[in-house]
Amino acid sequence: MGITGLFALLLMLFGYTKPLDSLPLHPHCNSTVMEGFAKEAKELHSAMDACTDSCNLRENITVPKTGVNFNERDKMERDMQEAEIWRGLMLFMTAIPKVKEIITDSSLKNHTDKSYRHIRSLISFLKGLNGKQGETMRTSDLAQATTYVQTMKDFFLYYFNFVRWKVKQYVKKVCQNTQR
Protein backbone atom coordinates (compact mmCIF):
# COMPACT_ATOMS: atom_id res chain seq x y z
CA MET A 1 0.00 0.00 0.00
CA GLY A 2 1.46 3.26 -1.05
CA ILE A 3 0.96 6.78 0.19
CA THR A 4 -2.22 7.09 -1.84
CA GLY A 5 -3.67 3.93 -0.24
CA LEU A 6 -2.68 5.11 3.25
CA PHE A 7 -4.25 8.49 2.59
CA ALA A 8 -7.46 6.83 1.36
CA LEU A 9 -7.54 4.60 4.47
CA LEU A 10 -7.05 7.58 6.80
CA LEU A 11 -9.73 9.55 4.96
CA MET A 12 -12.15 6.64 5.35
CA LEU A 13 -11.41 6.32 9.05
CA PHE A 14 -11.47 9.97 9.97
CA GLY A 15 -13.64 11.42 7.24
CA TYR A 16 -16.71 9.38 8.06
CA THR A 17 -16.70 9.55 11.86
CA LYS A 18 -18.68 12.09 13.82
CA PRO A 19 -16.64 14.58 15.79
CA LEU A 20 -16.86 14.21 19.58
CA ASP A 21 -18.04 17.75 20.08
CA SER A 22 -21.51 16.66 18.97
CA LEU A 23 -21.89 14.81 22.27
CA PRO A 24 -23.42 16.63 25.24
CA LEU A 25 -20.85 18.39 27.40
CA HIS A 26 -22.15 16.61 30.48
CA PRO A 27 -23.58 13.09 30.18
CA HIS A 28 -26.04 13.87 32.99
CA CYS A 29 -27.61 16.56 30.81
CA ASN A 30 -29.41 14.03 28.64
CA SER A 31 -33.07 14.92 29.24
CA THR A 32 -34.18 11.29 28.96
CA VAL A 33 -32.39 10.50 32.22
CA MET A 34 -34.45 13.00 34.20
CA GLU A 35 -37.58 11.90 32.34
CA GLY A 36 -36.83 8.38 33.55
CA PHE A 37 -36.59 9.54 37.17
CA ALA A 38 -39.88 11.43 36.83
CA LYS A 39 -41.54 8.42 35.21
CA GLU A 40 -40.45 6.13 38.05
CA ALA A 41 -41.74 8.62 40.62
CA LYS A 42 -45.07 8.82 38.78
CA GLU A 43 -45.31 5.02 38.75
CA LEU A 44 -44.83 4.96 42.52
CA HIS A 45 -47.63 7.49 42.89
CA SER A 46 -49.90 5.66 40.43
CA ALA A 47 -49.41 2.41 42.33
CA MET A 48 -51.28 4.03 45.22
CA ASP A 49 -54.47 4.55 43.17
CA ALA A 50 -56.00 1.30 44.45
CA CYS A 51 -55.01 2.08 48.00
CA THR A 52 -57.60 1.99 50.75
CA ASP A 53 -57.32 2.48 54.49
CA SER A 54 -54.02 0.61 54.53
CA CYS A 55 -52.47 3.68 52.90
CA ASN A 56 -53.41 5.96 55.77
CA LEU A 57 -50.54 6.87 58.03
CA ARG A 58 -51.09 7.03 61.78
CA GLU A 59 -48.85 10.07 62.09
CA ASN A 60 -47.91 13.07 60.01
CA ILE A 61 -44.89 12.62 57.77
CA THR A 62 -42.81 15.69 56.91
CA VAL A 63 -42.12 16.26 53.22
CA PRO A 64 -40.80 19.26 51.28
CA LYS A 65 -43.29 21.65 49.74
CA THR A 66 -43.34 21.21 46.01
CA GLY A 67 -45.01 24.37 44.76
CA VAL A 68 -42.83 26.28 42.32
CA ASN A 69 -42.96 29.92 41.30
CA PHE A 70 -40.89 29.71 38.12
CA ASN A 71 -40.15 33.45 38.00
CA GLU A 72 -38.69 33.37 41.52
CA ARG A 73 -36.97 30.05 40.91
CA ASP A 74 -35.21 31.36 37.79
CA LYS A 75 -33.86 34.27 39.85
CA MET A 76 -32.76 31.99 42.70
CA GLU A 77 -29.03 31.34 42.90
CA ARG A 78 -27.93 27.89 41.87
CA ASP A 79 -26.48 27.21 45.35
CA MET A 80 -29.86 27.97 46.95
CA GLN A 81 -31.63 25.66 44.52
CA GLU A 82 -29.03 22.99 45.20
CA ALA A 83 -29.49 23.31 48.96
CA GLU A 84 -33.26 23.05 48.52
CA ILE A 85 -32.89 19.87 46.45
CA TRP A 86 -30.55 18.18 48.94
CA ARG A 87 -32.71 19.20 51.88
CA GLY A 88 -35.79 17.79 50.15
CA LEU A 89 -34.07 14.52 49.29
CA MET A 90 -32.90 14.15 52.88
CA LEU A 91 -36.46 14.75 54.11
CA PHE A 92 -37.70 11.94 51.88
CA MET A 93 -34.82 9.68 52.92
CA THR A 94 -35.61 10.15 56.61
CA ALA A 95 -39.37 9.84 56.03
CA ILE A 96 -39.22 6.46 54.32
CA PRO A 97 -38.08 4.45 57.39
CA LYS A 98 -40.81 6.18 59.44
CA VAL A 99 -43.41 5.29 56.82
CA LYS A 100 -42.15 1.72 56.72
CA GLU A 101 -42.59 1.42 60.49
CA ILE A 102 -46.15 2.69 60.33
CA ILE A 103 -47.53 0.61 57.46
CA THR A 104 -48.46 -3.03 57.83
CA ASP A 105 -49.29 -4.00 54.24
CA SER A 106 -46.34 -5.90 52.71
CA SER A 107 -46.99 -4.59 49.18
CA LEU A 108 -46.76 -1.05 50.52
CA LYS A 109 -43.47 -1.91 52.19
CA ASN A 110 -42.23 -3.05 48.78
CA HIS A 111 -43.17 0.36 47.33
CA THR A 112 -41.34 2.15 50.13
CA ASP A 113 -38.27 -0.02 49.50
CA LYS A 114 -38.48 0.82 45.81
CA SER A 115 -38.80 4.53 46.58
CA TYR A 116 -35.78 4.36 48.87
CA ARG A 117 -33.71 2.78 46.08
CA HIS A 118 -35.08 5.37 43.64
CA ILE A 119 -34.04 8.26 45.88
CA ARG A 120 -30.57 6.77 46.38
CA SER A 121 -30.20 6.53 42.58
CA LEU A 122 -31.31 10.13 42.23
CA ILE A 123 -28.78 11.19 44.86
CA SER A 124 -26.00 9.35 43.00
CA PHE A 125 -27.10 10.99 39.76
CA LEU A 126 -27.01 14.46 41.34
CA LYS A 127 -23.61 13.82 42.93
CA GLY A 128 -22.34 12.89 39.46
CA LEU A 129 -23.82 16.07 38.07
CA ASN A 130 -22.22 18.33 40.67
CA GLY A 131 -19.47 16.26 42.15
CA LYS A 132 -20.59 17.41 45.60
CA GLN A 133 -23.50 17.37 47.98
CA GLY A 134 -25.10 20.71 48.68
CA GLU A 135 -25.16 22.38 52.06
CA THR A 136 -28.38 22.24 53.98
CA MET A 137 -30.31 25.38 54.81
CA ARG A 138 -30.90 26.75 58.29
CA THR A 139 -33.49 25.06 60.49
CA SER A 140 -35.78 28.08 60.21
CA ASP A 141 -35.72 27.78 56.41
CA LEU A 142 -36.46 24.08 56.72
CA ALA A 143 -39.67 24.69 58.68
CA GLN A 144 -40.94 27.15 56.08
CA ALA A 145 -40.36 24.78 53.18
CA THR A 146 -42.11 21.66 54.52
CA THR A 147 -45.59 20.28 54.89
CA TYR A 148 -47.14 17.11 56.28
CA VAL A 149 -48.84 14.16 54.61
CA GLN A 150 -51.10 11.53 56.14
CA THR A 151 -51.45 9.01 53.30
CA MET A 152 -49.07 7.03 51.14
CA LYS A 153 -50.74 8.47 48.04
CA ASP A 154 -49.97 12.01 49.20
CA PHE A 155 -46.43 11.01 50.13
CA PHE A 156 -45.73 9.71 46.63
CA LEU A 157 -47.56 12.65 45.05
CA TYR A 158 -45.23 15.05 46.82
CA TYR A 159 -42.24 12.95 45.80
CA PHE A 160 -43.37 12.88 42.16
CA ASN A 161 -43.93 16.65 42.11
CA PHE A 162 -40.58 17.24 43.82
CA VAL A 163 -38.75 15.26 41.13
CA ARG A 164 -40.86 16.61 38.28
CA TRP A 165 -40.68 20.29 39.21
CA LYS A 166 -37.80 21.05 41.54
CA VAL A 167 -35.14 18.47 40.69
CA LYS A 168 -35.79 18.56 36.96
CA GLN A 169 -35.59 22.38 36.86
CA TYR A 170 -32.42 22.36 38.92
CA VAL A 171 -30.75 19.84 36.59
CA LYS A 172 -31.84 21.92 33.61
CA LYS A 173 -30.25 25.03 35.16
CA VAL A 174 -26.99 23.20 35.92
CA CYS A 175 -26.84 21.85 32.38
CA GLN A 176 -27.48 25.28 30.85
CA ASN A 177 -24.61 26.72 32.90
CA THR A 178 -22.36 23.82 31.90
CA GLN A 179 -22.98 24.40 28.20
CA ARG A 180 -21.99 28.07 28.36
Side-chain angles (χ1 to χ4, degrees), residues 116-151:
Y116 190 78
R117 288 189 304 271
H118 185 265
I119 293 169
R120 289 184 55 90
S121 294
L122 187 55
I123 288 170
S124 294
F125 170 80
L126 291 171
K127 282 182 179 179
L129 180 68
N130 289 359
K132 62 177 181 159
Q133 182 172 339
E135 298 175 14
T136 56
M137 297 175 90
R138 297 181 310 267
T139 307
S140 61
D141 293 337
L142 184 65
Q144 294 172 356
T146 62
T147 190
Y148 301 100
V149 296
Q150 295 179 327
T151 67

Side-chain angles (χ1 to χ4, degrees), residues 24-31 70 73-76 78 81 129-130 167-180:
L25 292 176
H26 206 296
H28 288 77
C29 292
N30 183 340
S31 64
F70 289 104
R73 191 143 180 93
D74 287 342
K75 294 174 187 172
M76 187 186 293
R78 180 178 152 184
Q81 284 186 18
L129 180 68
N130 289 359
V167 176
K168 198 172 170 182
Q169 291 300 317
Y170 168 71
V171 169
K172 183 178 175 182
K173 186 171 194 164
V174 170
C175 289
Q176 286 173 344
N177 290 340
T178 303
Q179 293 174 354
R180 291 180 187 169

Side-chain angles (χ1 to χ4, degrees), residues 28 45 53 62 69 77 129 158:
H28 288 77
H45 175 252
D53 291 339
T62 305
N69 179 331
E77 291 292 325
L129 180 68
Y158 273 86

Side-chain angles (χ1 to χ4, degrees), residues 15-28:
Y16 293 106
T17 60
K18 289 185 176 182
L20 289 178
D21 58 324
S22 66
L23 295 173
L25 292 176
H26 206 296
H28 288 77

